[in-house]
Amino acid sequence: MLGMALAAIDGTIVSTAVPQIVGDLGGLTVFSWLFSGYLLAVTVTLPLYGKLSDTFGRKPVLIAGIILFLVGSVLCAAAWNMAALIAFRIVQGLGGGALQGTVQTIAADLYPLKERPRIQAKLSTVWATSAVAGPVVGGLLAGYADWRWIFLINLPVGAVALWLVVRHLHEPSRPRPATRPRVDWAGALAVFATGSLLLTALVQGGVAWPWLSAPSLGLLGSSAVLAALTVVIERRAAEPIIPGWVWRRRTIASVNLALGAMGLLMVAPTVFLPTYAQSVLGLGPIAAGFVLSVMTLSWPVSAALSDRVYNRIGFRRTAMIGMSAALLVLLAFPLLPYPGEPWHPALLMLLLGAALGLFQLPLIVGVQSTVGWAERGTTTASVLFCRQVGQSIGAALFGAVANGVLAARLLDAPADGLPGDLDAVTRALEDPGAFSAAATDHVRRAVDAAVDYVYIGAAGAAALALLALITLAPRRFPIITETAAAPGPAETAGAAGRADTDR
């Protein structure tokens, strides 16, 4: 949990300290890469770390990830300009990728199926707490100490996590493979390059350059070519980073697609709800954050109780109930009155968190239970990778939708010279004298309409998740019951198609 906290809190803690960082180091035009670079590094390394943990064990990968993350933290604290800080944030992300995937895999290794909801709910609580505490802690450190302490506080937490892992994490002994394990470095490089170009295009398209510009088209075209090359390399590799069975097995493929769609829909509450709360409801940044944070209260509780449902009706049906409820909540958002009360969206987010907790955890626990030890790291990494990619696609797609709706609604505004994108409008609304009363109301209604369309799009993503489960997922997940000693690769390969029980 401490190792997971390192990666979780660093995704949010920097956000409130950006003014102080920019004021000290400069680089206003590229500061968004503090977040994009970290996210990119975490996402593209997930498949590599998943395969390495299956090959060499979880413990060495987790230790290497913590050390790399702490080295990146020290370098970030010592950064002398924005370019250096962005580069060191990427180093942090390289360690964060090992933390995210490996911790989730270890949870499945250490705990039997009956106990996994409890430990997975605790890991969800880490993410929930980090989402709320990260911006607050970052703002306090930046305001009352120095922004460099945002990275230095990782050191004691990481040191304790490292000590606990080294001393107390004992992996079961595994049969030594007949041949020396080989790492598919060519495949790893191809996956890294493909993911880097694709995520760069998605994150920066429509922000740093127009979508139909040469940089966007060049990055998207290059990522498509590299993706085809990656498929060729992985088919020829003896131990591929992303093996073909990840997509040939219906259970894993359906969960990958369903959680990818969940990543897509999560952009609506996490990215656009704070904007709605500030621009439409007139709340301050802290109050807007609390409107979103109620989702993190119900999510872990729902996840912890989900085993009482899936033990009765199965993983697939439980996840379908959760996503069906999420679909209804997302469709209810555009029906909220204008301007409404803060408790209206807060109530919907409380319900959404409960619905998604009932959706995500059964799928993760279920898919991890269908594979043996030697395939669990790769399987878990593929699920997390698809969720992260879905989130990146959602940010790009819904950002374009929101700005398009906003620009259309502002064409007949009762004032000239209004900004045409959502971020600029939000900043302008913070100045009470920026617009006349009529123009302010028109702009607020335009933002309200833009966010409504985003939530409709998120409901479409929820429908896609349901479609993946209905059409691809087997009615019962083929569960493998493992003995206390973890099997080796050969043993697991034979057990993969053998189910001791179905759920």
Side-chain angles (χ1 to χ4, degrees):
M1 289 176 70
L2 283 175
M4 180 71 83
L6 287 173
I9 200 168
D10 257 68
T12 59
I13 195 172
V14 179
S15 58
T16 50
V18 166
Q20 289 79 8
I21 296 174
V22 171
D24 189 11
L25 300 181
L28 178 63
T29 58
V30 294
F31 82 88
S32 63
W33 273 100
L34 291 177
F35 312 98
S36 303
Y38 179 82
L39 174 65
L40 187 151
V42 168
T43 303
V44 299
T45 54
L46 279 169
L48 173 61
Y49 287 126
K51 183 62 179 180
L52 290 177
S53 73
D54 283 344
T55 305
F56 300 105
R58 326 293 187 211
K59 187 171 182 176
V61 173
L62 183 57
I63 290 173
I66 294 175
I67 293 174
L68 186 58
F69 188 91
L70 295 181
V71 169
S73 299
V74 172
L75 293 174
C76 285
W80 54 90
N81 58 32
M82 185 61 76
L85 182 58
I86 291 171
F88 299 147
R89 280 282 285 173
I90 293 175
V91 175
Q92 263 193 322
L94 296 177
L99 295 174
Q100 283 196 30
T102 310
V103 169
Q104 294 276 9
T105 307
I106 288 174
D109 290 341
L110 296 182
Y111 293 87
L113 180 59
K114 186 177 180 180
E115 297 182 28
R116 283 177 199 166
R118 177 173 59 86
I119 190 62
Q120 289 285 2
K122 290 183 177 181
L123 293 177
S124 297
T125 303
V126 171
W127 283 100
T129 304
S130 300
V132 177
V136 176
V137 173
L140 290 175
L141 289 175
Y144 295 100
D146 187 273
W147 63 265
R148 298 179 190 273
W149 281 101
I150 288 174
F151 304 104
L152 292 175
I153 63 170
N154 290 330
L155 300 183
V157 177
V160 174
L162 190 61
W163 179 78
L164 289 172
V165 169
V166 170
R167 179 158 183 170
H168 296 290
L169 177 59
H170 304 292
E171 294 189 88
S173 58
R174 296 179 293 121
R176 182 168 296 180
T179 59
R180 183 178 179 181
R182 289 184 294 175
V183 179
D184 177 23
W185 293 114
L189 181 61
V191 170
F192 189 89
T194 303
S196 297
L197 291 182
L198 176 61
L199 291 178
T200 300
L202 294 174
V203 169
Q204 295 298 306
V207 179
W209 48 70
W211 278 110
L212 296 179
S213 64
S216 280
L217 296 177
L219 287 170
L220 291 172
S222 299
S223 63
V225 172
L226 283 175
L229 179 62
T230 302
V231 172
V232 173
I233 293 174
E234 294 298 83
R235 282 183 172 179
R236 296 180 178 180
E239 294 289 340
I241 294 295
I242 303 181
W245 54 259
V246 167
W247 293 105
R248 286 195 297 268
R249 296 182 192 173
R250 288 178 57 196
T251 305
I252 302 175
S254 62
V255 171
N256 283 344
L257 293 174
L259 286 179
M262 192 199 80
L264 195 71
L265 74 84
M266 280 299 297
V267 172
T270 56
V271 176
F272 291 94
L273 184 63
T275 299
Y276 172 88
Q278 293 180 70
S279 299
V280 178
L281 302 181
L283 301 179
I286 296 178
F290 279 115
V291 171
L292 171 61
S293 67
V294 295
M295 182 173 67
T296 65
L297 301 178
S298 57
W299 192 316
V301 175
S302 173
L305 298 176
S306 64
D307 63 318
R308 301 187 182 185
V309 183
Y310 68 66
N311 281 328
R312 290 178 177 271
I313 65 174
F315 294 115
R316 176 175 175 265
R317 290 179 181 175
T318 303
M320 288 171 62
I321 290 173
M323 188 51 73
S324 298
L327 174 60
L328 295 176
V329 172
L330 293 167
L331 289 175
F333 188 92
L335 303 178
L336 292 178
Y338 173 86
E341 298 293 334
W343 67 266
H344 293 156
L347 176 60
L348 290 183
M349 291 308 101
L350 192 70
L351 297 174
L352 183 63
L356 293 178
L358 200 61
F359 168 79
Q360 177 179 259
L361 189 134
L363 289 184
I364 291 179
V365 171
V367 78
Q368 287 178 331
S369 303
T370 64
V371 294
W373 188 97
E375 295 177 341
R376 190 171 291 138
T378 299
T379 300
T380 304
S382 72
V383 169
L384 299 179
F385 177 77
C386 289
R387 188 182 66 185
Q388 294 281 81
V389 171
Q391 207 160 348
S392 299
I393 294 173
L397 177 63
F398 294 147
V401 169
N403 286 328
V405 173
L406 187 70
R409 293 300 178 99
L410 293 180
L411 287 177
D412 58 346
D416 296 326
L418 296 179
D421 67 90
L422 202 58
D423 291 336
V425 165
T426 303
R427 289 193 297 269
L429 285 173
E430 294 175 357
D431 181 7
F435 309 122
S436 64
T440 298
D441 182 70
H442 189 91
V443 170
R444 290 188 189 280
R445 289 182 180 275
V447 173
D448 179 60
V451 177
D452 284 348
Y453 273 92
V454 167
Y455 269 81
I456 292 172
L464 290 177
L466 278 174
L467 184 64
L469 293 178
I470 292 170
T471 58
L472 291 178
R475 292 180 180 274
R476 313 290 286 181
F477 281 24
I479 305 303
I480 294 175
T481 302
E482 294 180 293
T483 57
E491 184 181 346
T492 303
R498 191 172 65 242
D500 293 306
T501 183
D502 289 327
R503 179 166 291 141

